[in-house]
Amino acid sequence: DAGVIQSPRHEVTEMGQEVTLRCKPISGHDYLFWYRQTMMRGLELLIYFNNNVPIDDSGMPEDRFSAKMPNASFSTLKIQPSEPRDSAVYFCASSARTVTGELFFGEGSRLTVL
Amino acid sequence: DQQVKQNSPSLSVQEGRISILNCDYTNSMFDYFLWYKKYPAEGPTFLISISSIKDKNEDGRFTVFLNKSAKHLSLHIVPSQPGDSAVYFCAASGHNDMRFGAGTRLTVKP
């Protein structure tokens, strides 16, 4: 059984460019989460979806960030325009039944904005 | 607003000894607590959890202790092994919310 799949694994881009990160959750999982990991703040929740509907996006840092989940097997996190301070590892995670239980994480997308 | 705090960014222990990782939380609405382990270039993976109705949960070499009055939990690994070297994240959840700490990097020396 495949786990959560994220792409790209690494992205290097220049300030001002658009960045799109992709995620395929585990089949059958109802919840999908986007997290950002930084040295200072650890794992920050950006947004989560339940049955493809965004439920809580209070963690999205700015209007430059947007996320979509057009169907149960695909989600994107977009940053436009990107800035150097957006450099971090972005994780997607999915969960079967609840927000508060065990999450299954992808391997992450390391973003570097020059 | 850090609702979950792991005040030790790193910990180094000798193989065979006990590792104790600590975590504090501020929100009394949290009622379920989890530890995740993360190796470099991988995503975090679930390790062990505890409900607020318990004060201890054990799984092999891993034990999590919860002190609700102090809003404190700890993860004990005994005996520690070099393969336990990783970053450990504490998470607290409840009422449709889950928060993670900043992580503690554990190094187990042979």
Side-chain angles (χ1 to χ4, degrees):
Chain A
D1 183 24
V4 176
I5 299 173
Q6 291 186 245
S7 65
R9 292 295 310 277
H10 302 274
E11 175 90 7
V12 180
T13 190
E14 293 188 345
M15 183 173 64
Q17 297 297 306
E18 177 179 293
V19 173
T20 299
L21 308 178
R22 298 172 179 81
C23 175
K24 176 178 168 55
I26 292 173
S27 177
H29 280 192
D30 295 332
Y31 290 85
L32 183 140
F33 307 80
W34 282 100
Y35 282 89
R36 177 171 68 176
Q37 182 191 10
T38 60
M39 290 293 292
M40 293 300 295
R41 300 179 65 86
L43 281 169
E44 294 178 273
L45 176 64
L46 301 177
I47 185 171
Y48 79 87
F49 296 82
N50 177 214
N51 292 323
N52 313 339
V53 177
I55 303 300
D56 183 356
D57 65 354
S58 59
M60 297 284 263
E62 300 171 31
D63 291 345
R64 298 183 298 107
F65 286 69
S66 63
K68 294 181 180 179
M69 192 166 185
N71 57 62
S73 58
F74 184 66
S75 177
T76 59
L77 177 67
K78 186 173 292 187
I79 308 172
Q80 165 64 16
S82 58
E83 297 182 2
R85 59 189 167 129
D86 302 330
S87 298
V89 181
Y90 292 80
F91 288 102
C92 176
S94 68
S95 172
R97 293 177 290 109
T98 176
V99 174
T100 57
E102 180 184 347
L103 303 183
F104 294 81
F105 284 84
E107 294 184 316
S109 295
R110 180 176 293 277
L111 173 65
T112 303
V113 183
L114 303 174
Chain B
D1 177 23
Q2 290 264 286
Q3 297 189 44
V4 179
K5 294 182 181 180
Q6 294 178 256
N7 292 319
S8 298
S10 63
L11 174 68
S12 181
V13 300
Q14 206 68 35
E15 181 179 6
R17 307 296 290 268
I18 185 171
S19 296
I20 300 176
L21 295 92
N22 294 302
C23 178
D24 297 292
Y25 62 97
T26 58
N27 190 340
S28 58
M29 301 300 284
F30 290 140
D31 58 8
Y32 192 65
F33 305 89
L34 309 93
W35 285 93
Y36 286 80
K37 177 178 179 179
K38 184 186 176 307
Y39 291 119
E42 295 183 9
T45 55
F46 170 75
L47 184 60
I48 192 171
S49 63
I50 187 168
S51 165
S52 60
I53 63 174
K54 295 185 175 182
D55 55 17
K56 175 183 175 181
N57 187 28
E58 190 172 352
D59 183 3
R61 296 184 297 111
F62 302 90
T63 303
V64 56
F65 295 92
L66 175 63
N67 182 334
K68 282 196 304 180
S69 60
K71 294 191 178 64
H72 177 84
L73 64 154
S74 61
L75 174 68
H76 293 211
I77 306 173
V78 55
S80 301
Q81 299 174 355
D84 296 329
S85 297
V87 176
Y88 290 79
F89 290 98
C90 166
S93 68
H95 285 260
N96 286 330
D97 191 16
M98 180 182 288
R99 302 284 171 166
F100 283 82
T104 296
R105 180 178 301 278
L106 173 65
T107 302
V108 181
K109 298 180 179 178

